[in-house]
Amino acid sequence: MYDGKKLTNEVGAPIPDNENSITAGPRGPVVMQDVWLLEKMAHFNREVIPERRMHAKGWGAYGNLKVTGDISKYTKAKVLQPGTKTDLFIRFSTVAGERGAADAERDIRGVAVKFYTEEGNWDLVGNNTPTFFIRDVHNFSDLNRAVKRDPRTGMRSAQNNWDFWTLLPESFHQRTIVMSDRGIPASFRNMHFFGEHTFSFYNDKNERVWCKFHFLTQQGIKNLTNQEASEVCGRDRESHGRDLFESIERGDYPRWTMYVQIMTEEQAKNHYENPFDITKIWRHKEFPLIEVGVLELNRNPENYFAEVEQSAFTPAHVVPGIGFSPDRFLQGRLFAYGDAQRYRLGVNHNHIPVNRAKCEVNEYHRDGAMRVDGNYGRMPAYSPNSEGYWSPQPDAAEPPLDLEGAMYRFDPKDDPSDDNFRAGGELYRLMTEDKRKLLIENTAADIASVTDNVKYRHAVHCYLADKEYGERITKAMGLDLERVKELSKLDNNGLIEATLNP
Ligand code: HEM
């Protein structure tokens, strides 16, 4: 396809030789005058851009969402109206590993989807778990420092990881998921993914409901054991990327069925748990899954850097009919992504083709590094202006949201309804014996190098969630069950006090 492209310099002048430097004599030194050589070296030195602070290793694909169900009574979003088909770009990632990390590691998987809707881009930036480790933005940078490299050794540290996790009991459910068989998916195609947070929908009448997004794999769930994963990593660090790429190349297009859960504002007020706490789930029996449509991936990117590395997603990008929620963790994310991308890619990153909306964009920003379109030419740069440019669109306003309570640093643990072990215990009891066995073995292997005080904290959390879970993990970690039982009588502060480093 590219045959016949003749080499030029960066501004189109022909290059006569791309292999032999200009030297002073056949065996002499290189001269400054070889400007093409200088250009090549200088460009090369600047080819690496910062990697994403987390979710650095990832793979992308294009596809579409076809809406087969009817949720129009909840949302006016055009992308979710019956029969609509919308193009999308997706990026799958691991979280802790750097850009060169192996795919088949025990970790959660990020799944970010950019829907190019006719009302602007809608980004759903989720993971393959329905819940998360933490629930306050304050803990986010610490979570990443704990799971990434230790400042002294430059190595990943199970001690840091488990120390941090077990000091935050709200991470228990997610810890159980990551240590379960689902902690290492066999491929991106063989896992579900979720928006995790509570978002909102509002309809034509400006009536709001709360919602959660679920995408269930049509390929079936498949996972790797630790042993299988270490064999895969030894053979192929790009196993998940390769699987995705090759399946799309051979026309075996992966699909997920999209569902939503709906909670009314009234139900939310009376719910027995905080419905805006990301570490809590909405139980399917109480809030059934409503089918929305099918997400299919059917085209590979042409260029990894241009399309995958330069893609930029943010939960702040929603479209009319879809809104945020009071989830304090989501609120923090609304700032973090754009800020990271202004640093990682530059202030005009939304002009990069993979990020660019397919509909008309009139944000009237000006200038900035790498502004490569017409920069809005002679149109006014300020608003309001007497020419009527850049007039707002009041129809797109979200319905008002009543708030209550004082402004304060509320600790969710002070809320009597806050039970951090219930969902993890329910999950354990749902597991078949072979899954429970794997959970215990995986945890014992992962935590093996960690000090006993931290192991006790985890054992106590397991015991509080389910006695059998606690007893089995205690035995597998070689701890004293009587001490676990004693420690489980303490409140969270007491447990922390009793398990600080000796
Ligand atoms: C307060 C909490 C969080 C903060 C501050 C945060 C921040 C970030 C930042 C700064 C990036 C890198 C963005 C870039 O360089 O383009 C990122 C990536 C990502 N985050 Fe979060 N994050 C948070 C929680 C979450 C949660 C709860 C999820 C899942 C529901 C999630 C899913 C992702 C995904 C999938 C990516 C990779 C996006 C891509 O493929 O480009 N994050 N996050």
Side-chain angles (χ1 to χ4, degrees):
M1 174 165 37
Y2 300 110
D3 284 357
K5 290 275 186 208
K6 296 273 194 266
L7 184 66
T8 74
N9 73 1
E10 64 282 5
V11 287
I15 294 293
D17 185 338
N18 196 29
E19 285 175 42
N20 299 300
S21 305
I22 305 175
T23 51
R27 297 187 180 184
V30 174
V31 298
M32 283 290 278
Q33 196 182 313
D34 193 344
V35 288
W36 176 234
L37 176 66
L38 302 185
E39 170 65 24
K40 274 175 79 178
M41 290 200 296
H43 192 278
F44 181 75
N45 285 350
R46 290 161 182 78
E47 278 171 8
V48 177
I49 61 170
E51 64 177 33
R52 289 164 176 84
R53 186 67 188 92
M54 64 298 301
H55 296 267
K57 175 80 184 294
W59 304 101
Y62 294 92
N64 57 54
L65 173 73
K66 274 186 225 151
V67 178
T68 50
D70 185 355
I71 54 166
S72 57
K73 67 177 174 186
Y74 299 122
T75 177
K76 65 177 181 181
K78 292 201 172 143
V79 55
L80 297 176
Q81 297 311 303
T84 308
K85 187 171 164 188
T86 304
D87 288 344
L88 60 90
F89 180 73
I90 199 164
R91 181 174 177 273
F92 296 97
S93 49
T94 44
V95 179
E98 293 84 4
R99 203 147 44 188
D103 286 343
E105 290 187 344
R106 182 169 299 280
D107 195 353
I108 54 175
R109 302 292 183 282
V111 188
V113 193
K114 188 180 291 297
F115 299 93
Y116 301 102
T117 92
E118 59 179 279
E119 299 174 294
N121 286 354
W122 170 38
D123 292 353
L124 189 66
V125 195
N127 283 329
N128 69 332
T129 57
T131 179
F132 202 65
F133 292 105
I134 52 175
R135 54 186 166 187
D136 194 295
V137 199
H138 266 293
N139 293 131
F140 187 75
S141 48
D142 302 270
L143 170 70
N144 285 287
R145 288 181 183 163
V147 303
K148 281 179 164 276
R149 290 176 190 270
D150 178 82
R152 179 176 183 211
T153 63
M155 296 179 212
R156 290 212 220 157
S157 158
Q159 178 72 28
N160 297 353
N161 206 334
W162 282 96
D163 184 36
F164 181 78
W165 282 353
T166 54
L167 287 167
L168 299 171
E170 63 268 32
S171 72
F172 178 71
H173 187 196
Q174 181 82 326
R175 253 183 271 158
T176 298
I177 297 174
V178 175
M179 291 301 135
S180 77
D181 57 321
R182 296 204 181 179
I184 318 180
S187 79
F188 296 132
R189 296 185 300 133
N190 293 110
M191 62 186 204
H192 303 325
F193 62 93
F194 309 87
E196 293 191 17
H197 295 279
T198 297
F199 291 88
S200 55
F201 278 151
Y202 51 97
N203 62 16
D204 279 335
K205 295 184 209 132
N206 256 3
E207 296 161 331
R208 175 189 285 111
V209 290
W210 306 114
C211 65
K212 280 187 186 280
F213 297 102
H214 300 248
F215 293 81
L216 304 192
T217 175
Q218 292 190 5
Q219 288 68 239
I221 295 274
K222 278 192 205 145
N223 303 305
L224 300 176
T225 62
N226 277 347
Q227 208 180 347
E228 287 165 337
S230 64
E231 190 273 322
V232 169
C233 289
R235 184 164 41 81
D236 184 2
R237 301 174 70 74
E238 273 63 62
S239 55
H240 288 180
R242 196 179 313 284
D243 172 83
L244 180 69
F245 184 87
E246 289 178 353
S247 74
I248 293 176
E249 284 300 285
R250 68 172 179 265
D252 178 8
Y253 300 142
R255 294 192 185 95
W256 287 259
T257 312
M258 176 179 176
Y259 298 88
V260 289
Q261 281 178 297
I262 301 289
M263 189 187 281
T264 64
E265 288 187 292
E266 210 42 44
Q267 284 174 315
K269 280 183 195 143
N270 301 313
H271 195 50
Y272 53 84
E273 285 175 323
N274 177 1
F276 307 114
D277 176 341
I278 191 173
T279 62
K280 305 286 185 290
I281 46 156
W282 297 1
R283 289 163 183 85
H284 292 191
K285 272 193 195 134
E286 299 162 48
F287 301 95
L289 296 183
I290 302 170
E291 193 166 326
V292 178
V294 178
L295 185 152
E296 177 186 276
L297 301 180
N298 50 29
R299 180 161 66 88
N300 279 315
E302 272 300 298
N303 184 280
Y304 181 85
F305 179 83
E307 294 155 82
V308 185
E309 195 61 11
Q310 291 200 115
S311 59
F313 305 82
T314 165
H317 286 165
V318 289
V319 290
I322 304 173
F324 311 123
S325 80
D327 177 342
R328 55 169 83 179
F329 204 56
L330 173 61
Q331 295 281 330
R333 294 180 72 201
L334 302 181
F335 162 76
Y337 289 71
D339 187 55
Q341 290 145 9
R342 280 174 217 113
Y343 158 70
R344 182 167 73 81
L345 299 162
V347 72
N348 285 312
H349 61 273
N350 285 310
H351 294 219
I352 297 169
V354 66
N355 301 326
R356 180 100 195 160
K358 307 284 183 230
C359 62
E360 191 175 330
V361 177
N362 288 319
E363 98 289 66
Y364 93 108
H365 290 331
R366 292 293 163 104
D367 310 348
M370 301 305 293
R371 182 89 204 196
V372 292
D373 62 355
N375 201 23
Y376 292 116
R378 65 174 64 187
M379 286 182 254
Y382 60 89
S383 171
N385 58 68
S386 299
E387 292 182 69
Y389 277 92
W390 326 126
S391 51
Q393 308 187 56
D395 285 353
E398 270 192 55
L401 177 66
D402 287 338
L403 297 174
E404 57 188 38
M407 185 174 81
Y408 183 63
R409 292 184 189 280
F410 293 98
D411 182 345
K413 289 195 282 305
D414 295 336
D415 176 347
S417 76
D418 187 50
D419 183 341
N420 289 309
F421 308 115
R422 179 177 172 172
E426 285 168 353
L427 176 61
Y428 179 79
R429 287 186 289 277
L430 267 180
M431 289 180 184
T432 51
E433 174 49 30
D434 55 330
K435 300 257 161 70
R436 289 184 190 183
K437 193 166 167 282
L438 269 178
L439 168 68
I440 304 295
E441 284 170 8
N442 292 340
T443 311
D446 206 86
I447 209 170
S449 62
V450 172
T451 50
D452 277 359
N453 57 327
V454 174
K455 284 182 182 161
Y456 270 107
R457 250 181 254 148
H458 185 61
V460 168
H461 291 168
C462 296
Y463 190 76
L464 290 171
D466 184 282
K467 289 213 163 43
E468 183 196 296
Y469 186 5
E471 285 164 9
R472 287 177 75 170
I473 203 74
T474 300
K475 192 168 172 215
M477 294 192 294
L479 304 179
D480 172 6
L481 183 60
E482 288 316 307
R483 180 158 157 75
V484 170
K485 287 182 181 170
E486 279 309 304
L487 289 171
S488 69
K489 292 177 191 154
L490 301 171
D491 66 8
N492 187 52
N493 288 337
L495 175 62
I496 291 175
E497 192 75 12
T499 54
L500 289 175
N501 286 344

